[in-house]
Amino acid sequence: MKDLLRGYGRWLTSLFVASILVWGLLLIILPQLTMAERALTAPKRQLDSSIAGALVRDAETCISVLKNYDTPETEAPASGGLAVPSASGMAVPSAGGMAVPSAGNTPSGAIRPYILQCDRATTHQAMVRSGGQTVYLDTLYDLPLMAVSDTDPIAEQSATARKIADLADVVYKRLLEQEANSSSLTLSNFRVLVAPALIPLSPEQKAIENRRLSEKFYQLTGLKYERDGDTYKRLGLITLARTLSFAIMATALALIMCYPIAYKVALATPPERATWLFLGLVIPYAIVELMRIYAWTAIIDNQGLLNALLDWVGVIDIAAGEAIQFKRMPGTIFVVIVYTYVLFMVFPIYNVMSTLDKNQIEAAKDLGARAWRVHWRVIIPHSKPGIAVGCIATFMLSAGAFSVPRIISRGLQAEWFSQTIYNKFFESENSNIGAAYSFAYTLVCFALVGLFMWIMRTRLKDFARVQ
């Protein structure tokens, strides 16, 4: 800070510090606080008030449909279960003007076709509770057990639906007031991540799974267990552990590939040739990342470059259906991830390695050190900050990769955790659970980065050497 004050003066230094604080607040702190708040908030549809409100809407829709339903009791029941038919054969509109779908064929003895909302209009609604508890709306809030029976006359069905709507509306308003005056923070979204799921398996499938090494690892770590003959898996944690292990292996592969490249460019190549080597690395990255990833699909497809080459040398016969399914191999994702993020590993290592005095290498050789010992005792210790930065950057990018596993595997491999978070937000509309997954994933990745820095004996100020 003193150097900044001397070099730039008080006003420029204050502007610089204020800009950093605003940047950190807007781009780091506030987004994380928003994500944490959503993660600690129960989804609205799981609240008791939402269930009571849904019952009100179902009962009101049932009443609206029954009002428009004016069919003699002797009319033949509907078949196919696609919509609620009227006397003229057209679908009866609901309160919103849309046809109300049914869930199946008309029950035997019914005087009207099956109406989904009328079937759901019952006070015996299951409530969302953790720990596998079974609680119902009528018993929890002392409501009479009522349901719309499709065998009753239409007028009686409407009257029953009206009573259910009125009772549920009273409970709904009371619950809204209670929930407004109470804390909405909960850890239930995080519990979903560790919650076990029942996996139905036949004895044959169970025997096949138990022979796999990964399944034995899941059993040892508690990610999979059996109870009363049933198999349970903690699917969220399994996906998390698998993604982190893949990201770590991809980072290790990138380091193994990039360290020799950085050494060659920084210490073992004349400056004029090093420029051409760097151009060979950088030029492919002038292309948009998605275009480079899609280009890999032309390489690994069944009719792609790799299979065509293997077919040409006679290893496989594509015409006979012997093409290798590269898109089903996890190793393919590793290779593409390393290719995609290789510069984030090469440049930090090169920047630090290029500051090493070559006389130290020559001195080590003159003292009789072999090549591997020169790297172990001289080059690697000096390059440690660059290695740390490159590994952290590659690991974080690999752990958060979405486009590479999505495009390369095309759904034919187990999804990465980033895909699970995306599905929670946009496919199943469980944004609160998705926020919990995302926040927990961020904390786990930060913990792994901190552990890595501790193992490498690297401090934040060491990163200043990575220019």
Side-chain angles (χ1 to χ4, degrees):
M1 183 61 72
K2 292 181 180 179
D3 293 337
L4 286 175
L5 289 172
R6 282 197 302 266
Y8 296 100
R10 181 179 300 175
W11 292 108
L12 284 177
T13 301
S14 300
L15 179 62
F16 177 70
V17 172
S19 300
I20 292 177
L21 292 176
V22 171
W23 178 83
L25 179 65
L26 295 180
L27 298 182
I28 299 177
I29 299 177
L30 288 181
Q32 291 302 320
L33 289 178
T34 303
M35 193 68 68
E37 181 186 18
R38 182 177 292 187
L40 293 170
T41 304
K44 276 192 172 182
R45 59 184 177 183
Q46 293 185 5
L47 298 176
D48 289 3
S49 60
S50 296
I51 296 174
L55 177 57
V56 174
R57 291 189 292 273
D58 283 336
E60 294 286 356
T61 303
C62 177
I63 294 170
S64 299
V65 174
L66 292 175
K67 282 181 180 178
N68 292 298
Y69 186 83
D70 189 18
T71 305
E73 296 184 4
T74 57
E75 179 160 330
S79 60
L82 296 178
V84 179
S86 66
S88 59
M90 300 299 291
V92 176
S94 66
M98 299 296 292
V100 180
S102 73
N105 294 332
T106 306
S108 177
I111 61 172
R112 62 158 175 82
Y114 181 81
I115 301 173
L116 179 61
Q117 287 79 2
C118 291
D119 181 68
R120 295 193 309 209
T122 173
T123 58
H124 197 61
Q125 296 282 339
M127 314 299 287
V128 177
R129 291 293 184 273
S130 60
Q133 292 178 298
T134 303
V135 181
Y136 295 95
L137 181 68
D138 55 335
T139 56
L140 186 61
Y141 295 105
D142 197 23
L143 298 179
L145 178 58
M146 301 180 66
V148 177
S149 174
D150 56 5
T151 59
D152 292 337
I154 298 297
E156 188 172 334
Q157 294 182 44
S158 296
T160 303
R162 171 52 58 195
K163 291 179 183 178
I164 293 174
D166 293 341
L167 290 171
D169 188 58
V170 172
V171 175
Y172 171 66
K173 292 177 179 177
R174 186 171 79 245
L175 289 175
L176 280 180
E177 184 177 354
Q178 292 177 359
E179 292 167 359
N181 296 327
S182 61
S183 175
S184 60
L185 300 182
T186 178
L187 294 176
S188 60
N189 297 324
F190 290 94
R191 295 192 190 101
V192 176
L193 178 61
V194 300
L198 175 63
I199 308 298
L201 295 173
S202 65
E204 294 78 10
Q205 291 174 322
K206 188 181 296 185
I208 293 173
E209 275 206 354
N210 289 337
R211 288 196 294 267
R212 296 175 182 169
L213 184 60
S214 59
E215 298 297 325
K216 294 180 180 178
F217 172 77
Y218 296 155
Q219 289 178 339
L220 288 174
T221 55
L223 299 176
K224 173 186 175 182
Y225 63 92
E226 292 189 11
R227 186 172 63 195
D228 299 330
D230 295 323
T231 301
Y232 293 86
K233 289 184 180 180
R234 304 183 190 276
L235 298 178
L237 287 181
I238 288 176
T239 304
L240 174 62
R242 183 174 56 243
T243 301
L244 290 176
S245 62
F246 285 175
I248 292 172
M249 287 188 287
T251 303
L253 178 60
L255 177 60
I256 293 171
M257 293 178 61
C258 294
Y259 179 84
I261 297 174
Y263 170 75
K264 178 68 175 176
V265 176
L267 300 175
T269 303
E272 59 276 7
R273 293 182 59 188
T275 302
W276 292 104
L277 288 175
F278 258 126
L279 282 176
L281 285 172
V282 173
I283 287 176
Y285 289 84
I287 304 173
V288 178
E289 178 179 315
L290 280 178
M291 298 300 296
R292 288 186 279 116
I293 296 173
Y294 276 112
W296 271 93
T297 62
I299 298 175
I300 64 174
D301 271 346
N302 293 346
Q303 303 290 334
L305 180 62
L306 281 178
N307 277 310
L309 181 62
L310 293 174
D311 181 74
W312 180 70
V313 299
V315 176
I316 61 173
D317 185 0
I318 295 179
E322 298 177 358
I324 299 176
Q325 302 289 326
F326 289 105
K327 55 182 172 290
R328 293 181 179 270
M329 298 180 179
T332 306
I333 295 181
F334 296 156
V335 173
V336 179
I337 281 182
V338 171
Y339 165 78
T340 304
Y341 303 127
V342 65
L343 290 187
F344 294 93
M345 180 69 78
V346 169
F347 276 119
I349 300 176
Y350 165 79
N351 287 337
V352 178
M353 196 178 288
S354 61
T355 63
L356 177 64
D357 187 354
K358 294 184 180 180
N359 291 327
Q360 297 184 36
I361 300 176
E362 295 300 328
K365 290 180 179 179
D366 291 342
L367 292 173
R370 295 182 180 180
W372 69 268
R373 194 168 181 82
V374 172
H375 283 275
W376 184 254
R377 297 298 297 273
V378 178
I379 300 176
I380 291 179
H382 180 83
S383 307
K384 187 169 63 174
I387 293 173
V389 171
C391 288
I392 290 172
T394 306
F395 168 75
M396 295 300 288
L397 290 169
S398 301
F402 176 80
S403 56
V404 173
R406 183 74 172 247
I407 295 172
I408 296 301
S409 68
R410 286 173 247 179
L412 298 177
Q413 297 185 36
E415 64 181 20
W416 284 42
F417 202 70
S418 55
Q419 295 175 274
T420 300
I421 294 173
Y422 175 88
N423 293 336
K424 294 296 182 184
F425 270 100
F426 302 109
E427 299 295 339
S428 60
E429 296 184 357
N430 286 324
S431 61
N432 298 84
I433 296 177
Y437 277 34
S438 177
F439 193 73
Y441 196 38
T442 301
L443 294 179
V444 171
C445 288
F446 279 173
L448 290 176
V449 168
L451 178 63
F452 175 76
M453 292 177 61
W454 178 78
I455 294 173
M456 293 285 291
R457 298 294 189 268
T458 305
R459 296 168 295 179
L460 290 176
K461 68 177 184 179
D462 294 333
F463 294 163
R465 296 172 57 187
V466 186
Q467 300 175 354

